[in-house]
Amino acid sequence: MTPPQLTSLEESIRDELSAILGKKIDLETDAELKEEGVDSIATIKLIINLEIRFGIQIDDDDMLIHNFSTIQAISSLLSEKYDVAS
Amino acid sequence: MQVSFDVPRHLMDKTDILLDRVPYLSELILAMSYDQDDQAVNLTLSEQDGDSPQMQELRAAYMELCSSLELTRVIKERVVKSNLETAYERPAEPQGKRAAGLPYMEEFDILLLHKLDVEFTRIAQSHGAKLREYPSVLSKQNMMKNQYHLHFPQNIFGVASVPHNYKAINQFRMQAQQDAYEDTLLFEGEILQPCICYHCYEELQGTRSSEPRVLTGKGKCFRHEIQWRKDNFRRREFSMREIVYVGKEEWVVQMRQQIMEEVWRLFESFGLRGRIATATDPFFFSQDLQTKAAYQMMSNAKYELIATTSSGKNVSIASFNYCQDMLCSKYDIQGEDGAALHSGCVAFGIDRWKEAFMDRHGCDLASWPDTKPEKEMLI
């Protein structure tokens, strides 16, 4: 089965993850990131890198682990709340 | 002498974090205050020479600290319970309030500590906790597992001894006769326990069970607090009870929630005021603040019960922790399926509860809720 096409935002998130983990990430968008070795340090790095990349500041109220648990969850947060183009 | 250090503009929203760490920059520091108008940290120092090597070292350390905190992300606390907004009739000045700073406990303190611990133990046992008593010292092997000393080195008290060696014993005596025995003591890595829970993990180390397990222990704990910051709430030696729960993820999360609800009810039954909010451990290094502390806030890994005293001081008197599978992985505690179990702990700073109770009620056990028979027995 052909995997669903990633949006450009989902691709950006995957690229950032690959850079942080130092290996190519080829995940389903709904796969749990912690199962793929994305630990606390990597999660925080990802948030900082996404803030820099998209010129945004994520609110404290959105700094919840479930918002960053999958590529899909991150993509939804960034596009719906921070108007990052998907 | 007095010196003032400017707080850099990029740290204006992180002054709490900065001020928590400044006292650890040098033993020259005798007191500290923060001038909000001038945005400066004012220090009273034992040093008189502003150009001495120690002063240069202090200035360099301050700059380095400020620089290291630049990237730290401060996530504001989420309050999950509070009675600070409810109508509050300020009580009359409690009877029998005492001056701060007594270096020992009097009978009333001891009775109150005991009564408080009876309540904490009751909560623990209602969840099936087994009672434990552990040594006051953590072995080096245990420290290597829990890594507390890597994250909170500022709190460490080590245990030194005279080596069992004829020459060394003589050497110690000779030095002691000249009031200078310090260098003849041997330190082999044993640490006075800063908390109880690591003993519980050590006890369960290497076990395989899918049955949930709950342990509770009480003991004296030791943290190397800065001399001039010590008060009735911040002591170098204090009593702590911990409840440690190990099991499957969902059960552990539920257990923490249940105990938190019960402790909040107990807190309110004493007429105390405060809140329960997300919190982080007092990581010393900025790298840990940037990652572990931020992640703790994001994952609600730690809640603290913060009592507000009559003078408006906020003091953490209990914490409710969820450690995911981190500590069980380190101590090789697995379920029958071979996966590391999850765990958490609830910690009661018993002396701080005592101080909060006395701040509200003074030395008067008549305010103890619904405990007439026991009160008569104690008095």
Side-chain angles (χ1 to χ4, degrees):
Chain A
M1 196 173 77
T2 313
Q5 192 73 29
L6 263 59
T7 64
S8 63
L9 176 53
E10 288 168 341
E11 276 183 13
S12 301
I13 296 165
R14 198 180 58 181
D15 291 347
E16 290 293 350
L17 275 171
S18 298
I20 289 164
L21 297 179
K23 62 180 183 185
K24 190 172 180 337
I25 297 295
D26 196 11
L27 283 176
E28 298 290 331
T29 58
D30 59 353
E32 288 286 330
L33 297 181
K34 73 175 179 186
E35 304 297 331
E36 303 297 325
V38 181
D39 60 10
S40 56
I41 295 172
T43 303
I44 302 299
K45 278 184 182 166
L46 175 65
I47 292 168
I48 292 168
N49 290 1
L50 291 172
E51 286 183 331
I52 293 168
R53 182 170 186 148
F54 297 116
I56 57 174
Q57 170 93 41
I58 293 171
D59 290 344
D60 284 358
D61 291 340
D62 294 325
M63 292 285 275
L64 292 166
I65 215 67
H66 66 78
N67 283 335
F68 299 90
S69 58
T70 65
I71 290 176
Q72 203 171 59
I74 301 168
S75 173
S76 298
L77 176 72
L78 297 190
S79 60
E80 289 167 19
K81 178 130 187 214
Y82 295 91
D83 292 333
V84 177
S86 58
Chain B
M1 68 179 281
Q2 304 280 331
V3 292
S4 250
F5 290 154
D6 290 337
V7 175
R9 191 178 298 274
H10 66 261
L11 294 184
M12 284 305 159
D13 62 340
K14 300 170 193 166
T15 49
D16 287 350
I17 294 177
L18 177 68
L19 295 176
D20 270 351
R21 281 155 187 76
V22 167
Y24 294 102
L25 292 179
S26 168
E27 298 237 343
L28 296 178
I29 301 171
L30 301 175
M32 177 187 76
S33 63
Y34 175 55
D35 186 330
Q36 207 154 10
D37 295 333
D38 288 348
Q39 295 170 345
V41 181
N42 299 321
L43 299 176
T44 305
L45 305 173
S46 58
E47 178 66 44
Q48 297 302 322
D49 178 2
D51 294 322
S52 70
Q54 291 93 330
M55 280 301 297
Q56 289 170 22
E57 193 181 308
L58 173 60
R59 285 196 183 88
Y62 181 75
M63 299 298 286
E64 191 180 322
L65 174 66
C66 290
S67 168
S68 74
L69 294 176
E70 190 170 358
L71 294 176
T72 300
R73 176 74 182 260
V74 179
I75 301 175
K76 68 173 187 278
E77 68 174 24
R78 279 185 278 275
V79 176
V80 294
K81 288 189 183 296
S82 173
N83 61 10
L84 293 170
E85 302 302 321
T86 53
Y88 172 62
E89 190 177 332
R90 192 179 172 83
E93 186 65 18
Q95 296 297 306
K97 265 199 168 182
R98 289 201 307 257
L102 272 185
Y104 57 87
M105 301 269 180
E106 294 183 326
E107 185 162 315
F108 178 80
D109 302 272
I110 295 162
L111 293 176
L112 183 51
L113 283 173
H114 171 72
K115 285 177 71 67
L116 287 163
D117 191 46
V118 167
E119 295 296 327
F120 304 145
T121 307
R122 180 186 56 73
I123 291 174
Q125 290 185 305
S126 74
H127 292 282
K130 302 292 182 204
L131 297 174
R132 291 291 185 271
E133 188 170 308
Y134 296 106
S136 297
V137 171
L138 288 168
S139 67
K140 187 171 180 182
Q141 289 86 340
N142 198 339
M143 296 305 295
M144 301 296 275
K145 285 258 179 356
N146 63 57
Q147 300 190 340
Y148 178 94
H149 55 315
L150 298 184
H151 300 301
F152 314 102
Q154 76 278 19
N155 289 343
I156 295 297
F157 265 126
V159 179
S161 59
V162 177
H164 291 169
N165 167 289
Y166 187 72
K167 192 174 163 189
I169 292 170
N170 270 318
Q171 178 75 10
F172 176 81
R173 185 165 186 261
M174 283 189 332
Q175 293 292 105
Q177 283 168 337
Q178 297 175 36
D179 299 335
Y181 56 79
E182 296 90 329
D183 291 343
T184 60
L185 289 169
L186 179 67
F187 175 55
E188 295 184 291
E190 286 188 326
I191 301 293
L192 285 173
Q193 61 183 1
C195 53
I196 307 293
C197 60
Y198 298 135
H199 289 296
C200 301
Y201 288 102
E202 189 175 49
E203 175 185 335
L204 299 176
Q205 184 168 211
T207 56
R208 305 282 177 271
S209 172
S210 292
E211 288 299 308
R213 285 167 286 178
V214 188
L215 299 173
T216 184
K218 184 188 88 164
K220 285 280 188 184
C221 294
F222 304 83
R223 295 184 187 175
H224 190 197
E225 296 288 354
I226 287 170
Q227 186 70 27
W228 52 268
R229 290 172 94 192
K230 289 193 306 180
D231 59 23
N232 285 356
F233 285 100
R234 191 187 287 270
R235 297 167 184 267
R236 286 184 169 179
E237 180 180 344
F238 51 93
S239 295
M240 184 188 288
R241 173 166 293 284
E242 286 201 61
I243 308 170
V244 175
Y245 33 93
V246 175
K248 295 285 187 191
E249 179 176 1
E250 196 179 329
W251 178 85
V252 167
V253 172
Q254 198 178 17
M255 176 63 71
R256 178 178 70 159
Q257 188 62 33
Q258 284 175 5
I259 297 177
M260 196 159 82
E261 296 288 344
E262 288 169 43
V263 173
W264 178 252
R265 281 198 293 275
L266 181 69
F267 178 78
E268 288 211 293
S269 76
F270 290 155
L272 301 179
R273 290 163 53 75
R275 65 187 192 276
I276 295 181
T278 52
T280 67
D281 286 313
F283 293 107
F284 188 73
F285 295 106
S286 59
Q287 178 67 23
D288 288 341
L289 280 172
Q290 286 160 26
T291 54
K292 291 181 164 49
Y295 197 80
Q296 273 187 324
M297 291 295 269
M298 286 178 67
S299 57
N300 299 332
K302 186 181 194 74
Y303 292 104
E304 281 183 344
L305 170 53
I306 300 153
T308 301
T309 68
S310 55
S311 64
K313 184 174 180 154
N314 291 311
V315 186
S316 170
I317 63 172
S319 67
F320 311 89
N321 306 282
Y322 170 45
C323 308
Q324 301 186 3
D325 60 356
M326 185 188 64
L327 283 167
C328 285
S329 296
K330 286 180 178 173
Y331 285 87
D332 188 30
I333 302 167
Q334 298 178 357
E336 281 160 358
D337 59 2
L341 291 172
H342 285 235
S343 71
C345 65
V346 170
F348 301 94
I350 311 176
D351 305 70
R352 288 184 170 190
W353 278 79
K354 172 180 77 70
E355 292 300 327
F357 187 92
M358 288 168 68
D359 176 74
R360 175 72 173 78
H361 301 292
C363 299
D364 180 14
L365 279 177
S367 308
W368 191 268
D370 195 30
T371 55
K372 202 159 176 273
E374 196 177 350
K375 190 172 68 191
E376 284 170 351
M377 183 186 78
L378 281 164
I379 297 174

